[in-house]
Amino acid sequence: KAGVTQTPRYLIKTRGQQVTLSCSPISGHRSVSWYQQTPGQGLQFLFEYFSETQRNKGNFPGRFSGRQFSNSRSEMNVSTLELGDSALYLCASSWFPDTNYEQYFGPGTRLTVT
Amino acid sequence: AQSVTQLDSHVSVSEGTPVLLRCNYSSSYSPSLFWYVQHPNKGLQLLLKYTSAATLVKGINGFEAEFKKSETSFHLTKPSAHMSDAAEYFCVVSFIIQGAQKLVFGQGTRLTINP
C-alpha cells in the first residue's frame, strides 16, 4: 500500500508570493492533518480535514488555509508569504479522526521563503 | 489542557548500550500516547502507541514504552542501541477536540549513537 505522498518536496518562494502544497493520503484514509515543523517552534498543528470539512484549526493566521477534495486529497495554501513561513510542512493521514488511530506522515514539503 | 514534555533535548549513548528517552504528559482525559521517530530529511514514522490497553507497549525495531499513570510518564526504552537508531524522537499525545483529532508534540529528543 502506498504511503502518504506530498508534492512538491522542495519549494523556494519570495516574500509576498503565495504557495499551494498538495497531500495524497493513504488509500482508504479519510482524515488529513497538516503540521508545520521549524527548529524554533517544533511541530505545530495547522488543521485537520475529514469528509471535506475542516474540523479543527491550530493557532495560525488566516493566511494559512486548506481544503480537502472528495477523494480525500488535500491542499494547503499560504498567501502573502513571510520569511517566518520557511519550514517543513508535514501532512498526515488516518482512517478516522479518533485517538485510537495513528496518523501516518508523508515526507514533507520543505518551503524556503527568501 | 494537553501537553507533552520531553525531559532531554539530546541523548548520547554508545552502540550496544541501553537507550532511555523520557517523556511526561499532561492530559485532562485518558490519553492516547505515541512515539514517533524522524530520520534526517524524512517524515515521521510511528514507533509505538498506547491506547489504554496494556501499559507496556512494544514497538518496532526493539523499542518499547511503559505507560505509568501515577507518574504521568511514557518513557521510551531499547535494550541495545544500534547506529541506525540515530534520529530525532517525538513523544505525542492525541486527543479529540470539537470532534477532530489533534496531536500535541513534545519538543523532540535527538539521539546520538557513538561507535
Side-chain angles (χ1 to χ4, degrees), chain A residues 45-94:
Chain A
F45 171 77
L46 278 159
F47 25 65
E48 188 224 21
Y49 287 88
F50 178 73
S51 294
E52 301 177 63
T53 301
Q54 183 183 97
R55 296 160 64 87
N56 197 12
K57 185 173 182 181
N59 189 25
F60 280 83
R63 300 184 297 106
F64 291 81
S65 63
R67 58 178 175 170
Q68 186 181 33
F69 302 95
S70 58
N71 62 358
S72 295
R73 191 176 69 85
S74 176
E75 290 181 346
M76 69 163 280
N77 184 76
V78 188
S79 62
T80 320
L81 283 165
E82 300 177 0
L83 295 178
D85 297 333
S86 295
L88 180 66
Y89 290 88
L90 292 164
C91 166
S93 75
S94 65

Side-chain angles (χ1 to χ4, degrees), chain A residues 9-10 33 35 37 40-43 45 48 55-56 88 90 94 96-108 110, chain B residues 30 32 34 36 38 41-46 49-52 88 90 94-103 105-107:
Chain A
R9 291 292 312 279
Y10 302 91
S33 299
Y35 300 86
Q37 185 177 25
Q41 299 299 316
L43 275 150
F45 171 77
E48 188 224 21
R55 296 160 64 87
N56 197 12
L88 180 66
L90 292 164
S94 65
F96 191 81
D98 183 271
T99 56
N100 288 316
Y101 295 101
E102 59 268 35
Q103 294 190 3
Y104 293 86
F105 284 79
R110 172 81 58 190
Chain B
S30 294
S32 290
F34 304 83
Y36 282 87
Q38 186 178 33
N41 300 313
K42 297 288 180 63
L44 278 72
Q45 180 185 19
L46 179 70
K49 67 175 182 178
Y50 166 78
T51 56
S52 73
E88 186 106 20
F90 293 94
S94 171
F95 61 100
I96 298 293
I97 180 168
Q98 297 174 337
Q101 183 185 25
K102 182 176 176 181
L103 301 185
F105 289 80
Q107 284 298 100

